[in-house]
Amino acid sequence: MVKIKTAEEIELMRESALVVSRTLGMLASEIKPGANPLALDKMAEDFIREQGAEPGFLGMYDFPNTLNWSPNAQVVHGIPNNEPLKEGDVISVDCGALKNGYYGDHAYTFEVGEVAEATKKLLQVTKESLYVGIREFKEGNRVGDVGFAIQKYCESHGYGVVRELVGHGLGTELHEDPQMPNYGKRGRGKKFVNGMVVAIEPMINMGTRRIKQLKDGWTILTADGKPSAHFEHDVALVDGKPELLSTFQYIYKALGIESSEEEEFRHQNLVL
Ligand code: MG
Ligand code: MG
């Protein structure tokens, strides 16, 4: 059952999302060759607690850490370890926070030093597909419209769209209805209505869409060992249109990246 949020609840959820946004921004300046993932995980935990929130993933379904830390061929749900970051790695970092009873949940794939051009392109297209999908999260559309748009965009670049893992509704629980696949058919599935809040999160592979899981019971990786990327925003449906609750602006500020993608997104939505 989809739980519709009031305007007050959406403001609380914005705060929870921003706790994660700030945490990813803090990590952005720390993710470099030689950095220790477990140390960064502890920094993230402390940083979340300093903001009056709890790590959303720590202990959830018995997950052992604050961050889902998924380098290179790992898709999602990787576990931070003591293996130092290497030049050329890409790391998908997914983070959750619980504040005032509501979850924030979002993710970014970071580059460590200089990354291969083909991998940069995967990250860029995956992030673009996130906004392509979010634009379809509007009144009158359905779950399948978002998935269709993401799938079409990524497959047009020859990438594999992971099927087994999906986005989701978000609220007092980390995973609420509806499920939000990154593939689908136009006009199918649950209809969107104002007050829905979802996490949209394309998980896109450079090669095959097929995945496997490590014996740790968590880590998902690509079946062909090629890189994967993951970007996730929390989005509310307000006045018929998608409104971003999370932001990558803290990351961009830390990395000195000039990006108007979120502004452009908001502008495009005004004229839609
Ligand atoms: Mg997530
Ligand atoms: Mg999620």
Side-chain angles (χ1 to χ4, degrees):
M1 195 189 69
V2 174
K3 292 192 221 162
I4 299 303
K5 276 76 179 181
T6 64
E8 292 74 20
E9 287 180 297
I10 288 172
E11 285 318 302
L12 291 174
M13 294 196 66
R14 188 192 309 277
E15 174 55 21
S16 302
L18 289 176
V19 168
V20 184
S21 299
R22 292 182 204 111
T23 305
L24 293 176
M26 180 277 291
L27 289 168
S29 357
E30 304 291 334
I31 291 179
K32 47 192 155 196
N36 179 298
L38 268 178
L40 298 187
D41 185 79
K42 182 68 174 98
M43 283 177 69
E45 178 182 348
D46 293 345
F47 193 74
I48 289 168
R49 295 192 193 284
E50 282 165 21
Q51 297 176 76
E54 299 282 320
F57 298 166
L58 183 63
M60 171 77 71
Y61 315 118
D62 291 329
F63 188 78
N65 291 90
T66 293
L67 302 175
N68 282 189
W69 184 269
S70 309
N72 303 320
Q74 295 187 11
V75 179
V76 287
H77 300 168
I79 300 175
N81 58 18
N82 275 314
E83 199 161 306
L85 300 186
K86 296 189 308 294
E87 179 89 17
D89 283 346
V90 290
I91 315 285
S92 295
V93 181
D94 193 354
C95 181
L98 178 64
K99 186 168 182 178
N100 300 314
Y102 293 89
Y103 281 96
D105 172 19
H106 76 129
Y108 191 88
T109 301
F110 293 92
E111 300 175 15
V112 183
E114 266 314 303
V115 169
E117 275 309 313
T119 309
K120 272 184 195 280
K121 178 82 180 168
L122 170 71
L123 270 50
Q124 182 197 325
V125 168
T126 303
K127 181 148 62 71
E128 287 166 359
S129 81
L130 171 62
Y131 294 103
V132 164
I134 292 172
R135 248 174 243 133
E136 299 297 321
F137 180 57
K138 59 186 180 187
E139 200 166 36
N141 267 10
R142 293 173 182 270
V143 164
D145 294 304
V146 171
F148 174 83
I150 293 173
Q151 179 183 7
K152 186 173 172 215
Y153 190 75
C154 294
E155 288 182 351
S156 76
H157 289 271
Y159 297 144
V161 177
V162 172
R163 301 294 201 275
E164 293 85 345
L165 298 134
V166 297
H168 50 91
L170 188 69
T172 56
E173 290 175 82
L174 180 60
H175 296 125
E176 296 187 357
D177 287 337
Q179 291 199 347
M180 297 288 295
N182 299 304
Y183 59 93
K185 293 201 166 75
R186 264 187 184 142
R188 298 282 179 85
K190 182 73 82 184
K191 201 169 196 172
F192 299 135
V193 294
N194 283 319
M196 284 175 80
V197 180
V198 297
I200 297 179
E201 48 179 315
M203 287 156 261
I204 306 301
N205 299 344
M206 186 183 284
T208 178
R209 67 176 175 83
R210 302 183 67 83
I211 55 167
K212 52 190 183 180
Q213 188 170 36
L214 288 186
K215 287 204 180 75
D216 63 17
W218 281 104
T219 309
I220 303 292
L221 63 172
T222 59
D224 60 8
K226 290 185 180 171
S228 186
H230 180 211
F231 291 86
E232 178 178 25
H233 266 315
D234 300 338
V235 193
L237 188 50
V238 178
D239 296 334
K241 296 189 293 280
E243 184 172 322
L244 298 177
L245 301 183
S246 51
T247 176
F248 294 142
Q249 288 306 318
Y250 294 98
I251 295 171
Y252 296 150
K253 184 150 186 252
L255 298 179
I257 294 173
E258 296 272 343
S259 171
S260 55
E261 73 193 22
E262 292 177 15
E263 268 172 52
E264 280 167 23
F265 171 80
R266 288 190 182 97
H267 179 70
Q268 284 163 351
N269 273 324
L270 289 179
V271 295
L272 268 181

